[in-house]
Amino acid sequence: MKLFYLVMWRMSTILVVILTCWAVLFYLAIMEEVNDEVDDSLSDYAESLIIRSLSGEQMPDTSNGSNNQYFLYEVTPEYAASYPNISYRDEMVYITEKGETEPARILMTIFQKEDGGYMELVVYTPTIEKFDLQRAVLGWIVFLYVLLFLMILAVNAWVFHRNMRPLYTLLKWLEDYRLGTKENPLDESLRIVEFRKLNEAANMFSERSEKLYEQQKLFIGNASHEMQTPLAICRNRLEMLMEDETLTEKQLSELMKTHRTLENLTRLNKSLLLLCKIENRQFTDVKSLCLNELLLQYLDDYKEVYAYRHVQVEVHVEECFRLEMSESLATVLLTNLLKNAFVHVTEGGVIALSFTASSFRISNTGDASLDKNRIFERFYKEGKAEGSTGLGLALVDSICKAYHLTLSYTFEDGQHIFSIVS
C-alpha cells in the first residue's frame, strides 16, 4: 500500500470516529435545548392554570384554539404519593380539533388544594414543529458532517502531496538510478531537515556504489584477461605435447584427461565471469529482441549435434515473444535452456518449444523430476553429468532476475518443463 493511501485511510478512520461523536453530541445538545424551550413553555402554562385553579377563577376551555391543551382532575392521596410532583415525556395523543393522533410533549404535575385534596394537571402541546425542526437539524448536521469530512481529507491530501514532494522525487531518482550511468545528484538544499538528510545519504550511497562498481569492473576485466591467457597457453602446450609421437598410450591418455580438465576450467571461468557481469549490470547493449527468431538460429546446430539420439523437436509459435534485453545475454539464456533440454531428453524423446506474446516454454521427455529446490543453484549437477560446470541453469536464473522475468520448473506427465514469463 502506498504511504498516501495509508495516511488517508488512517486519517479517514480517525475523522469518522471524531466527527461522528461530534455530530451525535451536537444533535443531542440541540434537541435538549429544543426540549428545554418546549418544557419551559409547558411549565409556564401549567403554572398559570394552577394559580387560576387555586384562586377559584374560571378555568379556560381544555382546547382554547392554541397548541397547548390540558386535563385537570382530582386524584387520591395514595396516587399523589406514588408519582412525582412533575414529569415530562413524549407520546402520541389524540388532538380533538384535528381528529387525529399526533406526537406531543406532555407535562404532568400534582398539586394540593387548600382543602387538602390533590389534583393532577396534564398539559400537552403537539410537537409536529419540533419534529420538523429535528429533521431539519439532522439533515444539516449530516450535510455539514460530510462536507467537513471531505474538506478535511482534501486539505490533508493537498498538504501531504505538497510536503512529501521531495520524497517522491527521491523515489523517482532511486527507481531510475542505474550503476554505471551518470545521474544528476539530488538537491541537498531542502528546507526540511529529514528530506535533506535523506538526499545527502542517497548521494553518498550512490558515490560509494559507483566506486565499488568501477573497482569490480576493473577486477573482472583483469581477472578475465589474467586467467584466460595462462589457461590458453596451457591448452596450447598440451596440444603440442600430445602431437609428440614418442608418447606412450598411457601418457597420451593422461594428457587428454588434463586437457579436458583445462577445457572445463576455462568454461567454468568464463561462466563465473559472466555471472559477475550479469549481477553487476555490466550489459548495457539493450535492444528489442524477438526470442523465438533468435532461438531458431541455434536450433539447427543442436539438432545436428544430438542427431544420434533421434530426438524430435516441435516448435509452436503463437506470437513473437519480444523483450528489451542484451542480445548476448538473450543468447546465453536460450542456448543454456536448449542445451539442458537436449542433454536431459530421453533417447528418441521429444523436445517442445512454444512461444506466446508474453511467455516462452521449453519441455523435454524425462524419467524423473529434478530437485526444484536446488536446480538453479550454482555448481549443482543433477546426476553428476560429466563435463558440466553446474552453472548453466544458474546463468539462466540470474539473467531472468536481472530482467525481472519469472522462471519456473515443473515435471508433468513425464516431461521436464521450464517456463519464462515476462
Side-chain angles (χ1 to χ4, degrees):
M1 180 183 291
K2 289 186 177 180
L3 178 61
F4 171 75
Y5 296 124
L6 179 62
V7 171
M8 288 298 103
W9 169 254
R10 290 179 175 175
M11 182 65 70
S12 300
T13 304
I14 295 172
L15 283 175
V16 166
V17 174
I18 293 176
L19 291 179
T20 300
C21 294
W22 168 82
V24 170
L25 292 175
F26 182 74
Y27 176 77
L28 293 176
I30 293 294
M31 291 302 100
E32 182 67 23
E33 189 64 28
V34 171
N35 284 333
D36 284 344
E37 291 297 326
V38 175
D39 291 347
D40 289 343
S41 174
L42 287 175
S43 179
D44 292 340
Y45 185 53
E47 186 177 352
S48 66
L49 291 175
I50 292 173
I51 292 173
R52 295 182 67 171
S53 175
L54 293 176
S55 62
E57 297 180 15
Q58 183 179 358
M59 300 294 291
D61 294 336
T62 56
S63 178
N64 55 10
S66 66
N67 287 333
N68 297 333
Q69 300 184 43
Y70 75 94
F71 294 100
L72 182 63
Y73 45 85
E74 190 171 356
V75 295
T76 64
E78 292 78 11
Y79 178 88
S82 61
Y83 286 91
N85 290 337
I86 185 169
S87 62
Y88 298 91
R89 68 173 184 269
D90 292 311
E91 65 179 49
M92 303 296 291
V93 298
Y94 180 76
I95 306 299
T96 307
E97 292 183 349
K98 296 184 178 181
E100 58 185 22
T101 301
E102 293 181 353
R105 183 72 170 171
I106 297 176
L107 179 150
M108 296 181 65
T109 181
I110 298 175
F111 63 92
Q112 189 175 16
K113 298 186 295 181
E114 293 180 356
D115 59 3
Y118 290 92
M119 300 292 292
E120 182 178 48
L121 175 64
V122 180
V123 182
Y124 64 89
T125 181
T127 55
I128 298 298
E129 295 180 357
K130 189 184 79 169
F131 286 161
D132 291 341
L133 177 62
Q134 287 177 337
R135 285 195 294 268
V137 169
L138 182 61
W140 277 105
I141 287 177
V142 171
F143 172 75
L144 292 174
Y145 174 93
V146 175
L147 181 63
L148 186 61
F149 177 77
L150 294 177
M151 287 183 65
I152 292 175
L153 283 185
V155 170
N156 274 280
W158 179 80
V159 171
F160 180 90
H161 275 293
R162 184 171 182 82
N163 291 317
M164 299 298 284
R165 191 176 299 166
L167 177 62
Y168 292 126
T169 303
L170 173 61
L171 291 175
K172 183 66 168 60
W173 185 86
L174 290 174
E175 287 177 357
D176 296 338
Y177 179 74
R178 296 291 183 273
L179 277 173
T181 58
K182 189 65 178 176
E183 295 285 347
N184 294 326
L186 290 163
D187 185 11
E188 297 182 4
S189 61
L190 300 174
R191 292 183 300 171
I192 303 175
V193 175
E194 290 80 4
F195 289 140
R196 184 169 67 247
K197 289 183 177 180
L198 273 176
N199 286 2
E200 291 173 357
N203 286 333
M204 291 175 60
F205 171 77
S206 67
E207 291 175 6
R208 288 196 298 267
S209 298
E210 290 295 335
K211 290 179 181 178
L212 290 173
Y213 176 70
E214 291 300 325
Q215 292 173 1
Q216 287 181 350
K217 281 176 57 179
L218 183 62
F219 168 77
I220 291 172
N222 292 338
S224 178
H225 175 73
E226 297 298 331
M227 294 182 68
Q228 290 295 337
T229 301
L231 286 173
I233 293 173
C234 290
R235 288 170 53 200
N236 291 336
R237 287 179 177 176
L238 280 175
E239 290 172 359
M240 292 174 60
L241 188 59
M242 290 165 61
E243 293 176 358
D244 189 350
E245 297 179 354
T246 62
L247 292 173
T248 64
E249 183 177 347
K250 183 177 180 181
Q251 290 172 331
L252 183 61
S253 175
E254 293 299 324
L255 287 176
M256 291 178 64
K257 291 179 182 178
T258 305
H259 187 271
R260 283 198 299 270
T261 302
L262 278 176
E263 288 282 356
N264 293 337
L265 184 59
T266 302
R267 289 199 304 271
L268 179 63
N269 182 55
K270 288 181 179 179
S271 298
L272 286 173
L273 291 174
L274 181 58
L275 275 172
C276 290
K277 289 183 178 181
I278 293 171
E279 292 173 352
N280 291 328
R281 306 290 195 271
Q282 290 182 233
F283 290 88
T284 57
D285 56 329
V286 177
K287 61 181 180 180
S288 179
L289 298 172
C290 184
L291 293 194
N292 40 305
E293 294 178 358
L294 188 63
L295 180 63
L296 293 177
Q297 298 175 13
Y298 299 96
L299 184 58
D300 290 337
D301 295 335
Y302 280 89
K303 284 182 180 179
E304 293 176 3
V305 172
Y306 293 97
Y308 70 95
R309 301 186 64 188
H310 308 291
V311 176
Q312 181 181 355
V313 180
E314 300 175 354
V315 181
H316 307 281
V317 179
E318 293 184 10
E319 291 185 55
C320 173
F321 183 30
R322 188 169 295 278
L323 292 175
E324 297 287 333
M325 66 187 308
S326 166
E327 184 173 357
S328 57
L329 289 185
T331 301
V332 173
L333 172 71
L334 296 174
T335 53
N336 272 285
L337 285 174
L338 198 57
K339 179 183 176 182
N340 180 78
F342 273 101
V343 168
H344 292 95
V345 69
T346 54
E347 188 81 20
V350 178
I351 295 176
L353 309 172
S354 60
F355 294 88
T356 67
S358 59
S359 66
F360 163 57
R361 169 174 159 158
I362 180 169
S363 62
N364 63 275
T365 53
D367 298 323
S369 173
L370 304 177
D371 187 350
K372 50 177 70 173
N373 294 323
R374 301 190 60 195
I375 190 172
F376 298 115
E377 288 183 8
R378 297 181 184 183
F379 306 113
Y380 175 72
K381 301 176 184 179
E382 186 74 25
K384 307 295 182 183
E386 186 177 353
S388 172
T389 62
L391 292 174
L393 292 178
L395 281 169
V396 172
D397 185 51
S398 294
I399 294 171
C400 289
K401 289 178 179 177
Y403 288 93
H404 307 291
L405 303 173
T406 303
L407 173 65
S408 62
Y409 164 77
T410 57
F411 184 77
E412 299 175 1
D413 300 327
Q415 288 192 328
H416 301 286
I417 303 171
F418 290 87
S419 301
I420 296 177
V421 181
S422 61

